[in-house]
Amino acid sequence: MNILRNILAVIIGAFVGAMLNGWIIGLSGTIIPLPEGVDPNDIKSINEHMPIYELKHFIMPFLAHALGTLVGAILASLIAFSHKLYFALGIGGLFLIGGVMMVFMLPNSPMWFNVTDIVFAYIPMGWLGYKITMGFTKPTN
């Protein structure tokens, strides 16, 4: 039963975190409109228009990545029976893989954003998710 709970921690944390990430990305164009001519549903269009993106266009993607990871890590840590830190960091690692994949899918994205996103949005958010849950649960390992 404990193993099942740990498996569910990963599944639920990854699913909810990914849904939040996608929701924020989907909402971002209404909060900060994309440059003229960008089709947000077409990765090729995004990549071609990347040189005209401004700093403001990178705020919502970073928030989506960081908050999706954070919420996923919080859930994984709360649900996991044991090794809560490892499960929270595992969610961070899972989302980090997605972040690295995006760097390769969008080779025209600025290096400063890639580094900021990779360094701050994933593993630190996994760790922070774990630390937040320590106020709600007793550490078990």
Side-chain angles (χ1 to χ4, degrees):
M1 190 53 115
N2 298 340
I3 292 172
L4 179 61
R5 188 166 156 187
N6 286 345
I7 291 169
L8 282 173
V10 173
I11 292 169
I12 292 170
F15 180 78
V16 172
M19 291 296 102
L20 178 59
N21 181 343
W23 179 75
I24 293 171
I25 292 293
L27 186 66
S28 67
T30 60
I31 295 172
I32 301 172
L34 292 172
E36 188 78 27
V38 177
D39 178 357
N41 299 311
D42 180 10
I43 196 84
K44 185 177 177 190
S45 174
I46 295 169
N47 199 43
E48 287 173 354
H49 290 88
M50 194 63 67
I52 63 172
Y53 274 48
E54 299 173 35
L55 173 65
K56 67 182 180 182
H57 297 115
F58 296 97
I59 294 169
M60 295 302 286
F62 178 80
L63 285 176
H65 300 164
L67 294 176
T69 304
L70 178 65
V71 168
I74 288 170
L75 289 173
S77 186
L78 285 173
I79 295 168
F81 177 76
S82 60
H83 306 288
K84 294 174 179 294
L85 174 61
Y86 298 132
F87 284 99
L89 290 176
I91 294 296
L94 188 64
F95 279 72
L96 174 62
I97 292 168
V100 170
M101 289 172 55
M102 285 307 300
V103 168
F104 285 102
M105 292 170 66
L106 293 170
N108 291 335
S109 59
M111 186 56 68
W112 68 264
F113 177 74
N114 294 338
V115 170
T116 301
D117 196 52
I118 296 298
V119 171
F120 296 109
Y122 304 108
I123 301 302
M125 291 298 118
W127 176 83
L128 183 59
Y130 166 75
K131 294 303 278 184
I132 288 170
T133 64
M134 289 302 90
F136 303 110
T137 62
K138 293 184 287 187
T140 57
N141 280 359

